[in-house]
Amino acid sequence: MSRDLVVALSGGVGGAKLALGLSKVVAPENLLIVANTGDDFEHLGLSISPDIDTLTYALSGLDNQTLGWGRRDESWNFMEVLATLGGPAWFRLGDRDLALHVARTMRLKAGESLSAITADMTRRLGIAARVLPMSEDPVRTRVDSDEGLLDFQDYFVGRQCRPVVKALRFDGAAAARAHPDFLAALASPRLRAIVICPSNPFISVEPILALPGVREAFAARTAPCVAVSPIIGGKAVKGPTAKMMAELGLPAGAASVARRYGALLDGYVLDAQDAAEAQGLSARCVTAPTLMTSLEDKVALARVALELADALRA
Ligand code: GDP
């Protein structure tokens, strides 16, 4: 049996960039992109899945490159009127983006699963690879901070990550079931590689790892697991990853991410400028340009990650 199946773990912005690269070098039937749903929340009566949506927009070429989030060609009539009527306007939903949340919410209420809705919507938007929510069950990331226990979006968007993080909680994770297709892929004899995308380890990847059975499935893996560093030169490209590291008492560097994943990792791709961070890590390290600006950058980095996995398997 050929080893052709690639399982990628992804959050939003950073993860989606590499997922897009992977989608150009792996046949769609061989790529399973597992999305974090710990950021999901209910707002204005709508079920919002930010990481699934970021992946959907990035993989379909509909992402808003100016804003760095949301959908392109966006208009904001709904938000403007909502603000006029007294809000709440702290979480911005563009008119086109709104349609996706309305459609998802209706279908969830009618009893369809999040994975079936995601599969249908991604297909309608021309995405051939499979984007799979980590679980059908609700998991809600909460931030234990110096301002108390905050719902994730309250911390992330409402307070723009200003509170000091003491710990993260993934409410519901212990009782949630990892999606069976995710666990089946990890155990598949076809597994070529597990790729942990350059996502925030604390809020994008660890909610996935917190699901029952996932760490056990990683421990039993028959193909290598490779991560790409979300930290370049001690800094996050976007978002609070480096700030969180400092607040959690970890050195803000690429090595901290690899140490955090520990025995889950066989290989690690760090930026060329972070070569010194590879010292002392147990995963096999390679350096590459890891800042993904163009599609070519994303494709090249996807190739580096897969080549490392293939070399580890050889
Ligand atoms: P979120 O759910 O939208 O916060 O998205 P992720 O967790 O997937 O992505 C956030 C992480 O992506 C941050 O740690 C960024 O440093 C990282 N990131 C964003 N763009 C890039 C990039 O071009 N290269 C690398 N290596 N990391 C990136």
Side-chain angles (χ1 to χ4, degrees), residues 54-139:
T54 300
L55 279 163
T56 301
Y57 291 146
L59 291 167
S60 60
L62 290 172
D63 51 320
N64 188 324
Q65 309 223 337
T66 317
L67 281 179
W69 55 270
R71 205 186 140 130
R72 71 167 55 195
D73 302 326
E74 195 55 283
S75 56
W76 302 93
N77 299 308
F78 169 79
M79 284 313 298
E80 280 165 28
V81 178
L82 186 66
T84 312
L85 297 174
W90 62 273
F91 192 87
R92 297 184 71 209
L93 293 167
D95 299 330
R96 288 172 190 272
D97 187 33
L98 193 58
L100 185 155
H101 307 304
V102 170
R104 175 195 289 128
T105 304
M106 279 177 55
R107 292 172 69 165
L108 283 170
K109 287 211 163 109
E112 253 186 283
S113 68
L114 182 60
S115 64
I117 298 165
T118 304
D120 182 58
M121 287 184 172
T122 49
R123 185 187 56 77
R124 284 173 189 273
L125 293 175
I127 299 168
R130 186 161 180 213
V131 178
L132 185 72
M134 66 185 195
S135 173
E136 309 282 15
D137 304 319
V139 176

Side-chain angles (χ1 to χ4, degrees), residues 83-249:
T84 312
L85 297 174
W90 62 273
F91 192 87
R92 297 184 71 209
L93 293 167
D95 299 330
R96 288 172 190 272
D97 187 33
L98 193 58
L100 185 155
H101 307 304
V102 170
R104 175 195 289 128
T105 304
M106 279 177 55
R107 292 172 69 165
L108 283 170
K109 287 211 163 109
E112 253 186 283
S113 68
L114 182 60
S115 64
I117 298 165
T118 304
D120 182 58
M121 287 184 172
T122 49
R123 185 187 56 77
R124 284 173 189 273
L125 293 175
I127 299 168
R130 186 161 180 213
V131 178
L132 185 72
M134 66 185 195
S135 173
E136 309 282 15
D137 304 319
V139 176
R140 296 291 176 264
T141 298
R142 293 212 161 82
V143 181
D144 186 5
S145 79
D146 63 343
E147 296 183 23
L149 192 60
L150 303 173
D151 286 347
F152 180 72
Q153 298 298 346
D154 185 15
Y155 162 80
F156 198 71
V157 178
R159 302 193 201 199
Q160 298 183 322
C161 308
R162 280 187 299 264
V164 174
V165 174
K166 294 193 219 160
L168 294 149
R169 286 180 22 181
F170 310 122
D171 288 356
R177 285 153 302 175
H179 198 287
D181 294 354
F182 171 32
L183 292 180
L186 291 177
S188 169
R190 283 180 49 220
L191 188 66
R192 174 183 174 193
I194 307 167
V195 178
I196 302 182
C197 289
S199 288
N200 184 318
F202 314 106
I203 52 177
S204 292
V205 179
E206 289 183 358
I208 306 177
L209 300 175
L211 295 168
V214 172
R215 282 187 181 270
E216 291 78 358
F218 266 74
R221 68 190 177 276
T222 58
C225 175
V226 167
V228 176
S229 175
I231 295 288
I232 304 178
K235 297 197 179 89
V237 179
K238 193 168 185 285
T241 308
K243 177 176 179 281
M244 277 185 181
M245 275 178 169
E247 292 166 359
L248 294 170

Side-chain angles (χ1 to χ4, degrees), residues 244-262:
M244 277 185 181
M245 275 178 169
E247 292 166 359
L248 294 170
L250 304 170
S256 285
V257 178
R259 293 211 166 85
R260 185 92 181 175
Y261 293 139

